[in-house]
Amino acid sequence: MRTERAVGATAIALVVSVVIQNVVLASGAPTYSDPMTQVLTFHSEHRGLVTLAVGLEALNVPLLLGFVTGLHGLVTRRGRSGLGGSRLAVAAAATASSAFVLYAVLWMGVVLSARDLTAPTDTLEVIWRMHAAAFGFALAALGATFAGAAWAASASGLTRGWQRALGLFGGGLMLVAGVASGAVAEGSPVVFVGVAGFGIWVVWLVAIGLRLLRARPAHRSGQATVLSSVA
């Protein structure tokens, strides 16, 4: 498989995993503003669903890292344009991966803590709030990843200009949620600003994934790959 198609396939695989993860949790998962009694009830009754969602997070991490490192390789082959953004994306993705691991571990801690409880405890609430804060920080790092990757891909000719604007806007929304991580931990609706940015990230991944999957092979002379997609 050509490098372009491999990177494109990785982007689509990441989208599929993220969509499945959110569909799994679509059945009444609590928000960070919901009372702890609702949080306890959900995690007591849906341990299997949350465990599956955490397992998918373990898949999302290598897919994210594989995508940004593959994209960095494509950008590097095309010269120096976009290299700064690509390096930012790789570094930010590594940070985001660590934050998402912490987010997932704390989420599993909520499940384990809720197992034998009949009423919320201070410990359960602390773990839940730390889980929320970790999500905010993860969104901030992912926002930097998004902005850097979108800039690099556009500067090197891998995507259209509108996709760069999408990346900067969506990444900025996620950074807002990250800056407000303390408020997110307390249940502030500002988290939905970051979630909107995350949704834009998924749209961008689909766009660049399909574009790379339809890329023409590079000339043997070593010239840059020509992308035939109209996306």
Side-chain angles (χ1 to χ4, degrees):
M1 181 183 291
R2 293 199 317 271
T3 304
E4 291 80 8
R5 288 185 176 177
V7 177
T10 303
I12 298 301
L14 178 56
V15 169
V16 171
S17 180
V18 167
V19 169
I20 292 174
Q21 186 182 44
N22 283 273
V23 168
V24 164
L25 295 172
S27 57
T31 66
Y32 296 133
S33 61
D34 287 333
M36 288 306 299
T37 51
Q38 188 171 334
V39 173
L40 173 60
T41 299
F42 177 82
H43 287 86
S44 298
E45 296 177 354
H46 299 88
R47 292 182 59 201
L49 289 180
V50 177
T51 301
L52 176 58
V54 171
L56 287 171
E57 202 64 63
L59 177 61
N60 293 345
V61 166
L63 287 174
L64 172 62
L65 293 175
F67 168 70
V68 294
T69 53
L71 182 64
H72 180 67
L74 294 179
V75 171
T76 301
R77 279 189 346 192
R78 288 168 163 258
R80 300 191 62 83
S81 296
L83 271 181
S86 182
R87 288 172 181 149
L88 170 64
V90 171
T95 304
S97 297
S98 299
F100 274 117
V101 168
L102 178 60
Y103 156 83
V105 169
L106 289 169
W107 199 3
M108 208 59 227
V110 173
V111 175
L112 296 174
S113 298
R115 181 172 51 187
D116 300 317
L117 295 178
T118 57
T121 64
D122 291 341
T123 300
L124 178 66
E125 183 167 6
V126 167
I127 298 173
W128 178 246
R129 297 305 174 194
M130 290 176 66
H131 162 74
F135 182 60
F137 280 110
L139 283 178
L142 187 61
T145 302
F146 187 11
W151 184 278
S154 176
S156 58
L158 290 168
T159 60
R160 305 291 190 189
W162 68 266
Q163 289 169 289
R164 174 173 57 188
L166 201 66
L168 295 177
F169 178 66
L173 292 179
M174 286 192 275
L175 283 169
V176 168
V179 170
S181 291
V184 170
E186 294 177 352
S188 169
V190 72
V191 68
F192 295 109
V193 175
V195 170
F198 186 85
I200 296 173
W201 157 252
V202 172
V203 171
W204 183 83
L205 281 174
V206 171
I208 191 174
L210 294 177
R211 188 169 172 80
L212 291 174
L213 284 172
R214 293 181 291 186
R216 295 175 185 169
H219 297 296
R220 293 188 178 182
S221 61
Q223 296 176 5
T225 302
V226 177
L227 297 180
S228 59
S229 169
V230 294

